[in-house]
Amino acid sequence: MAKLTIYDSQGNRYRSSGRDPTEVSDRIEKFFFGGVRVFLDTGSQNELVVFFRARETKGGRAEQYYAVYETDSLNQIFTRFKDDLRERIEDEFEMTLQTTSDDVEVFSKLDGGKGDLPGSREDHRMISSLVGRGESLQIRTRDASAGLALLYEYTHGDADTLAIAENARITELSDCDLTIELGGDAPLSPIGETESLFDDYREQRSAGGGSQEGTDRSSRPRATTDSNSGSTRSQSRSVVFMATVGIAGVLVLGVLAVALVNAAALYGVSETDSLDPIVIVDGEEPDPELESVAVTGESTQLLTDGGEFVDHATITVNDADGFSISGDADGQERAYVAVTRDGEVIAETETDIDGGLDSVEVGPLTDGDAELLIAVGDDPVSADDPAIEEEISITIEGVEET
């Protein structure tokens, strides 16, 4: 059961009648002066705080308000919030929502679905890793659309508290896992102490220290592709070798030569005492992963939570009675997506991809419970080949009856 409470910009609870309780929220007043547009806490009781404007009369001035929305479920929280708010404001309070001024652009677009995500893959690897380690990050992006794309991206990730604000560095947001400040020139840039956190992260990686993901809250390993620099994926098998050169100086070239010399030294075949064994350390190759997978029907929702796939998702279909899937497929070449019910395939798609799922369409569908299969690889239809395969249960809603 969701609870919706309305406050004015001074933190006074809105009273539609003398019977309504009197209540003052200092936090709401400070949110207003800090230009907070959205605050989301996904703790045990999910709380969404949103700035909006409304008129008490058609010709009246649009006053400033905050809505505090408490709900047990994150599923389609932004859509449900706006539906409940519109019912409260327009039907119960007989006011009119105002959605045209610049300061309510975030509110207007809140349930519009995920747009293009600003920043590079390296940026988001840093954000995920640092937030997973418990750091509080402040980043700046250009506008409301970019800010909301970031909010959607990390709502189901390691960040428990997120905010979009005109000023990310107010005291009330100091403990926020990820605060997004609007008004930057670049698509995405760190601000404040987050700049040094990004610099330290890069130095650790360049020095071979890695991203310290062993301390992350997420248990799934992350991909390590750096798309900005154009470098290839990190070598999954590292070769560490040492050779002592004799009097003539021996240059060992190629993996085969290294292996032969190593074997000779280890088993006593070589008579050269000055040649020490060459040790090759064969590290474990990490399995490829599906990252940040989202499904878009009537609205967008993540299928991954903290790096793991959710067990179940309720999907309201789009106008074509289907949905699309997007996400990072860890460099794989083809994808196969199928929806099955009672062991029978009711919709399926196989397509070429370029390392990521880019709005792979599935449908048309029918309402009811089903299973969603996502497989990627060179030949993902083959039962023996998929490099990555995930399956979750889904409930399909919103199909128009004919």
Side-chain angles (χ1 to χ4, degrees):
M1 185 68 180
K3 177 183 177 183
L4 179 63
T5 308
I6 309 299
Y7 296 88
D8 65 21
S9 58
Q10 284 75 48
N12 301 304
R13 180 169 178 170
Y14 184 82
R15 305 178 70 199
S16 60
S17 70
R19 297 187 301 274
D20 291 341
T22 300
E23 180 183 331
V24 179
S25 171
D26 291 337
R27 181 183 65 155
I28 293 297
E29 183 179 14
K30 292 172 182 177
F31 273 9
F32 173 72
F33 287 110
V36 176
R37 299 294 174 245
V38 172
F39 174 82
L40 178 62
D41 184 346
T42 60
S44 57
Q45 177 66 56
N46 303 303
E47 181 190 51
L48 175 65
V49 182
V50 180
F51 172 83
F52 70 98
R53 283 180 176 267
R55 293 186 177 91
E56 292 190 352
T57 60
K58 287 186 178 181
R61 177 183 174 184
E63 300 294 343
Q64 299 164 321
Y65 299 95
Y66 277 89
V68 178
Y69 191 64
E70 298 171 279
T71 175
D72 294 331
S73 173
L74 272 178
N75 186 36
Q76 297 186 346
I77 185 172
F78 304 120
T79 299
R80 291 188 290 109
F81 159 72
K82 289 195 73 172
D83 288 344
D84 290 353
L85 179 67
R86 185 171 289 107
E87 181 179 351
R88 174 71 61 84
I89 293 297
E90 296 181 351
D91 296 343
E92 183 177 337
F93 293 169
E94 296 183 348
M95 298 165 66
T96 304
L97 289 170
Q98 195 261 22
T99 58
T100 56
S101 59
D102 292 341
D103 59 358
V104 293
E105 185 179 6
V106 172
F107 168 75
S108 300
K109 297 179 176 180
L110 185 60
D111 59 343
K114 182 179 177 181
D116 294 335
L117 188 66
S120 68
R121 180 177 293 183
E122 176 68 10
D123 289 332
H124 295 291
R125 180 161 49 252
M126 285 191 286
I127 293 171
S128 295
S129 180
L130 291 169
V131 169
R133 281 158 40 185
E135 302 287 358
S136 295
L137 304 185
Q138 295 84 40
I139 58 177
R140 182 183 290 132
T141 191
R142 286 174 174 162
D143 53 30
S145 296
L148 286 168
L150 290 165
L151 182 73
Y152 298 148
E153 176 72 13
Y154 292 102
T155 291
H156 295 271
D158 288 321
D160 293 330
T161 51
L162 308 96
I164 298 176
E166 291 182 351
N167 181 5
R169 286 162 284 184
I170 63 173
T171 302
E172 287 66 38
L173 299 179
S174 60
D175 293 331
C176 196
D177 294 334
L178 179 62
T179 305
I180 303 155
E181 185 174 289
L182 303 181
D185 296 326
L188 186 150
S189 59
I191 55 177
E193 295 181 0
T194 304
E195 291 186 63
S196 60
L197 290 172
F198 273 33
D199 290 341
D200 291 345
Y201 180 95
R202 293 188 183 98
E203 289 177 6
Q204 290 169 4
R205 288 185 60 81
S206 63
S211 59
Q212 297 185 0
E213 288 172 345
T215 60
D216 289 1
R217 289 195 291 263
S218 169
S219 60
R220 285 175 75 91
R222 301 273 181 187
T224 56
T225 301
D226 186 346
S227 59
N228 255 4
S229 64
S231 63
T232 58
R233 293 184 179 276
S234 300
Q235 295 294 326
S236 58
R237 299 182 180 273
S238 60
V239 179
V240 180
F241 63 91
M242 180 190 305
T244 303
V245 180
I247 296 175
V250 180
L251 179 63
V252 180
L253 297 175
V255 175
L256 179 60
V258 172
L260 289 173
V261 173
N262 189 53
L266 288 173
Y267 291 99
V269 175
S270 172
E271 297 296 328
T272 305
D273 294 337
S274 61
L275 184 62
D276 292 332
I278 301 170
V279 179
I280 299 178
V281 180
D282 190 5
E284 294 185 0
E285 182 176 0
D287 293 331
E289 301 259 346
L290 283 170
E291 298 274 351
S292 302
V293 179
V295 59
T296 303
E298 183 179 81
S299 61
T300 299
Q301 61 189 103
L302 279 173
L303 297 184
T304 53
D305 185 1
E308 297 283 354
F309 270 75
V310 299
D311 295 326
H312 179 271
T314 299
I315 303 171
T316 302
V317 297
N318 55 29
D319 293 340
D321 290 341
F323 55 80
S324 64
I325 296 177
S326 304
D328 179 10
D330 208 358
Q332 303 303 309
E333 296 181 358
R334 290 185 64 79
Y336 173 70
V337 180
V339 177
T340 62
R341 180 175 291 139
D342 298 328
E344 295 185 3
V345 176
I346 61 174
E348 61 182 341
T349 300
E350 184 182 5
T351 183
D352 290 329
I353 59 175
D354 185 18
L357 303 166
D358 185 11
S359 297
V360 177
E361 299 289 338
V362 185
L365 302 165
T366 55
D367 283 349
D369 293 333
E371 299 293 325
L372 171 63
L373 171 71
I374 307 172
V376 298
D378 294 334
D379 181 17
V381 178
S382 168
D384 299 326
D385 180 77
I388 314 171
E389 185 175 274
E390 297 285 352
E391 187 173 14
I392 68 171
S393 63
I394 59 174
T395 300
I396 304 165
E397 297 179 344
V399 177
E400 293 187 6
E401 297 181 2
T402 57

